[in-house]
Amino acid sequence: MYRSHTCGELRESHINSKVTLSGWVQKTRDKGFVVWVDLRDRYGITQLVFDEDRTASHLLEKARHLGREFVVQVQGEVIERASKNPNIPTGTIEVLVEELTVLNTSKTPPFTIENETDGGEDLRMKYRYLDIRRNPVKNNLIFRSQVTMEVRKYLAEKGFIEVETPYLIKSTPEGARDFVVPSRMNEGQFYALPQSPQTFKQLLMVAGMDKYFQIVKCFRDEDLRADRQPEFTQIDCEMAFVEQEDILNAFEGLTRHLLKEINGVDISAFPRITYDDAMRIYGNDKPDIRFGMEFAELNDIAQHKDFGVFNSSELVVGIAVPGAASYTRKELDALVNWVKRPQVGAKGMVYVKCNEDGSYKSTVDKFYDQEDLKKWAEATGAQPGDLICVLSGDKNKTRSQLSALRMEMAERLGLRKPDEFAPLWVVDFPLLELDEETGNYHAMHHPFTSPKPGQLEMLESDPGAVRANAYDLVLNGNEIGGGSIRIHDKNVQETMFKHLGFTPEEAKAQFGFLMDAFQYGAPPHGGIAFGLDRLVSILGGQETIRDFIAFPKNNSGRDVMIDAPAPIDQEQLNELHLKLNV
């Protein structure tokens, strides 16, 4: 038996007990006549003591040669600790060691295995197995496990069946690039790794499974950023004989359950907003509603003066930033430069200080008098002490720019509090998006999304006006889930493929298996998929999904720990009938 107890288990009630512990050496402290060793495992830390008055000399000398991260086993007696440590659960006891076995030695780690480490991110990713020993990473993975277990528990209680779907599938055009896998046994042919189990979960509804879920890996070969991974995990769900309201109620329940069980937070109602209103009020389709700063369109009260910048703009829009009228000229200039950065792309910014005495000071005082600026304050809801920030230009670009500014100001003002949770449903998305370069429409979500009831005929006359029977669940300014009511009728699906530019032959080649299935009694169905990585990070009070993934990849899609992707040898290439063109 390597251990009778864990390193986080012993308390005063164990005093005088004989115990066996195993773990890693966190650190040693040698005072000459006594050596203390902190022994760590997943569960905590226990202090070991080697005392020259009570410990054999050879054992004391052996303890002096223990290095950091050595794996050891000890046997001894639990005694009361003279100098107690209230910061750890085992801080009232220590173990007087009677036997010490070194199970494995360790090289000196490349960074300190402490909560606050001296290792940079690249180094820690290379030695991720060491990084996971640190409490912040270890606790994140335990937290992820807790969330996952609660998801399974809730869905199982609601009658959902967990079904695995294949990873080696057929490449289909669903937005991002597929990762492809060459087939050795089928020369010149390739599998694809699934971007989602979309068609399979629809087939499971045709198969009569009724309520399906799966916690599943998905793959997208797309350009990466700090908070995106080429492989990610979805909570994938589908239900038969449902309408949109059934889906929203079911998964509002799941989200409420997680917030209650994981975070101890009760959320009574999930507000709903249409896509059009979200874009108009917040400038994006995943608004953070933990704070205000809603957009106010100022065209009617800011145009038709002598300020040509506004007069020539499609949209003039502003927000009131609470308490920011105290910004100095230097701070305001820096803010103007912030919105002019390429990442935001604004040409400039007009601001108005709402002074405590009720007067206004603006960068455009030459063109607007106090009454004009008062109307701006009324429109934006600005109070004395607030700062009105105004952008103008092309409608879509300006909304996106002001959305970025809104989020930045909220961050600076500490309004995005990680322990506050504000869920929101966004509904009534456009069914199709117009590609301005090609002039063609493509599906805003995916080609299996149903139009809103009664709008199918509009696909011929006004395709851009058709609304999708789709919905996104937003939490704290992040999309954590999205789905739709699916098309379940073969003729309607063929109509959708036609409007997406598929010829009948292309549609059959890509999705013939699904169209065939629809001919055998496909029920009405719909579903949703949650991004588990992002959901866990938000519930954990963080925004970076990488911190909650055991072995993440870097911004180039590389696993620097195992050095992947990597070349394969010529023999493998020959077996796969591949020739590199590099």
Side-chain angles (χ1 to χ4, degrees):
M1 182 176 66
Y2 281 108
R3 59 187 179 187
S4 61
H5 299 78
T6 70
C7 293
E9 187 176 349
L10 300 176
R11 301 291 188 271
E12 289 185 20
S13 60
H14 294 94
I15 288 175
N16 298 325
S17 300
K18 297 289 186 179
V19 298
T20 303
L21 302 179
S22 293
W24 289 264
V25 173
Q26 178 79 13
K27 60 184 176 182
T28 61
R29 299 179 299 285
D30 187 349
K31 298 297 185 182
F33 61 92
V34 63
V35 175
W36 288 285
V37 176
D38 285 348
L39 190 67
R40 183 195 73 242
D41 64 9
R42 181 189 122 189
Y43 307 93
I45 289 177
T46 295
Q47 180 170 283
L48 313 177
V49 60
F50 300 80
D51 185 339
E52 67 179 8
D53 292 333
R54 295 175 290 178
T55 304
S57 58
H58 75 278
L59 200 56
L60 184 62
E61 189 62 25
K62 193 174 183 181
R64 289 195 170 104
H65 289 87
L66 293 176
R68 282 195 296 143
E69 302 306 310
F70 275 35
V71 184
V72 302
Q73 180 192 49
V74 298
Q75 295 178 1
E77 181 181 352
V78 182
I79 62 174
E80 185 175 2
R81 188 164 166 172
S83 179
K84 295 179 172 56
N85 182 355
N87 298 317
I88 59 174
T90 59
T92 60
I93 59 90
E94 59 189 2
V95 174
L96 180 63
V97 178
E98 299 168 354
E99 293 185 33
L100 167 64
T101 304
V102 175
L103 301 174
N104 216 331
T105 60
S106 172
K107 293 173 61 176
T108 301
F111 53 86
T112 55
I113 313 297
E114 302 277 359
N115 290 356
E116 298 294 329
T117 182
D118 55 357
E121 185 175 45
D122 290 343
L123 182 63
R124 288 187 288 108
M125 285 187 70
K126 181 175 176 61
Y127 296 94
R128 185 66 167 181
Y129 46 86
L130 297 179
D131 198 27
I132 292 173
R133 294 181 188 175
R134 297 192 310 114
N135 282 330
V137 183
K138 175 199 74 176
N139 291 338
N140 282 349
L141 296 183
I142 293 172
F143 183 82
R144 180 186 177 115
S145 175
Q146 292 170 340
V147 173
T148 303
M149 296 296 282
E150 286 298 332
V151 168
R152 283 195 163 97
K153 174 183 171 184
Y154 179 88
L155 292 175
E157 289 176 350
K158 297 299 181 181
F160 284 79
I161 305 299
E162 185 167 11
V163 182
E164 291 186 359
T165 54
Y167 279 157
L168 295 177
I169 66 168
K170 182 178 185 177
S171 181
T172 57
E174 294 183 32
R177 298 181 191 90
D178 289 325
F179 282 100
V180 295
V181 181
S183 170
R184 178 181 60 82
M185 294 179 289
N186 300 275
E187 182 176 351
Q189 295 184 319
F190 296 81
Y191 300 105
L193 301 181
Q195 296 182 33
S196 78
Q198 180 61 48
T199 54
F200 285 101
K201 64 183 178 183
Q202 291 191 251
L203 290 171
L204 286 170
M205 295 303 101
V206 177
M209 292 304 293
D210 191 68
K211 289 182 176 181
Y212 141 93
F213 87 98
Q214 183 181 190
I215 297 178
V216 60
K217 273 278 183 273
C218 302
F219 308 86
R220 291 179 186 171
D221 186 7
E222 55 188 348
D223 294 336
L224 301 179
R225 56 175 184 257
D227 205 31
R228 180 180 285 171
Q229 291 280 302
E231 53 181 328
F232 55 96
T233 307
Q234 282 187 179
I235 308 168
D236 198 54
C237 308
E238 199 81 1
M239 302 170 71
F241 302 109
V242 290
E243 297 176 335
Q244 177 176 295
E245 197 66 24
D246 299 305
I247 300 288
L248 269 55
N249 288 336
F251 293 98
E252 190 170 305
L254 171 60
T255 309
R256 188 180 288 113
H257 173 81
L258 293 175
L259 287 168
K260 175 66 175 177
E261 295 300 318
I262 301 297
N263 299 91
V265 174
D266 283 306
I267 303 288
S268 58
F270 286 41
R272 298 183 188 182
I273 189 172
T274 66
Y275 169 86
D276 289 342
D277 283 345
M279 297 303 294
R280 178 178 56 83
I281 299 172
Y282 300 104
N284 70 68
D285 60 1
K286 47 182 184 297
D288 192 336
I289 59 170
R290 284 175 293 180
F291 54 92
M293 287 193 277
E294 295 181 357
F295 289 12
E297 296 186 2
L298 306 175
N299 291 48
D300 292 344
I301 55 178
Q303 291 181 329
H304 315 300
K305 298 288 183 176
D306 294 328
F307 190 49
V309 173
F310 284 177
N311 292 340
S312 61
S313 296
E314 183 181 10
L315 177 67
V316 183
V317 62
I319 56 173
V321 182
S326 61
Y327 273 31
T328 64
R329 177 60 184 270
K330 182 178 180 181
E331 289 173 317
L332 289 169
D333 287 346
L335 194 58
V336 173
N337 289 332
W338 188 90
V339 301
K340 293 165 103 175
R341 298 181 314 148
Q343 299 96 315
V344 180
K347 293 181 180 178
M349 184 184 79
V350 169
Y351 59 81
V352 181
K353 284 188 172 187
C354 301
N355 298 321
E356 295 291 350
D357 63 4
S359 64
Y360 304 95
K361 180 63 180 174
S362 171
T363 48
V364 289
D365 284 340
K366 178 180 177 181
F367 304 98
Y368 299 92
D369 60 26
Q370 291 290 295
E371 282 302 312
D372 293 325
L373 300 178
K374 182 180 179 181
K375 292 178 182 177
W376 294 17
E378 291 172 348
T380 58
Q383 302 297 314
D386 293 351
L387 179 73
I388 303 172
C389 298
V390 182
L391 300 181
S392 64
D394 172 81
K395 180 171 62 177
N396 293 334
K397 289 181 180 178
T398 302
R399 284 175 174 163
S400 175
Q401 292 158 1
L402 190 60
S403 175
L405 177 61
R406 176 180 180 267
M407 295 296 280
E408 175 66 16
M409 297 311 297
E411 196 71 44
R412 294 185 185 190
L413 295 170
L415 301 177
R416 303 191 69 202
K417 298 176 182 177
D419 57 348
E420 291 183 6
F421 298 95
L424 173 74
W425 286 108
V426 180
V427 299
D428 295 352
F429 285 83
L431 182 68
L432 305 173
E433 280 185 309
L434 181 65
D435 187 324
E436 295 181 359
E437 292 185 6
T438 65
N440 297 326
Y441 283 101
H442 61 85
M444 190 166 192
H445 286 80
H446 54 63
F448 316 108
T449 299
S450 173
K452 295 289 282 188
Q455 295 193 8
L456 181 62
E457 294 75 14
M458 291 169 58
L459 279 173
E460 296 291 345
S461 58
D462 191 3
V466 180
R467 301 289 102 178
N469 209 346
Y471 32 81
D472 281 355
L473 182 56
V474 176
L475 184 61
N476 295 0
N478 293 273
E479 178 196 334
I480 61 167
S484 66
I485 299 300
R486 323 300 188 189
I487 296 169
H488 67 280
D489 181 272
K490 179 176 183 289
N491 294 328
V492 175
Q493 189 65 72
E494 287 176 343
T495 300
M496 176 62 75
F497 284 146
K498 182 184 77 172
H499 285 282
L500 293 173
F502 288 87
T503 66
E505 294 75 21
E506 289 171 336
K508 182 169 180 57
Q510 296 286 352
F511 302 108
F513 61 93
L514 185 63
M515 305 293 279
D516 289 345
F518 282 177
Q519 298 178 92
Y520 291 94
H525 59 281
I528 193 169
F530 286 78
L532 178 64
D533 309 300
R534 189 162 321 281
L535 173 62
V536 170
S537 68
I538 296 171
L539 295 178
Q542 301 179 42
E543 298 246 341
T544 304
I545 65 173
R546 187 182 292 168
D547 294 339
F548 292 85
I549 297 173
F551 300 104
K553 294 177 172 57
N554 68 12
N555 289 358
S556 300
R558 294 199 65 82
D559 185 325
V560 295
M561 182 183 67
I562 64 172
D563 194 24
I568 61 175
D569 61 37
Q570 189 60 49
E571 183 178 349
Q572 286 180 286
L573 289 172
N574 293 341
E575 284 185 336
L576 296 169
H577 318 289
L578 294 177
K579 182 177 181 181
L580 299 181
N581 184 20
V582 294

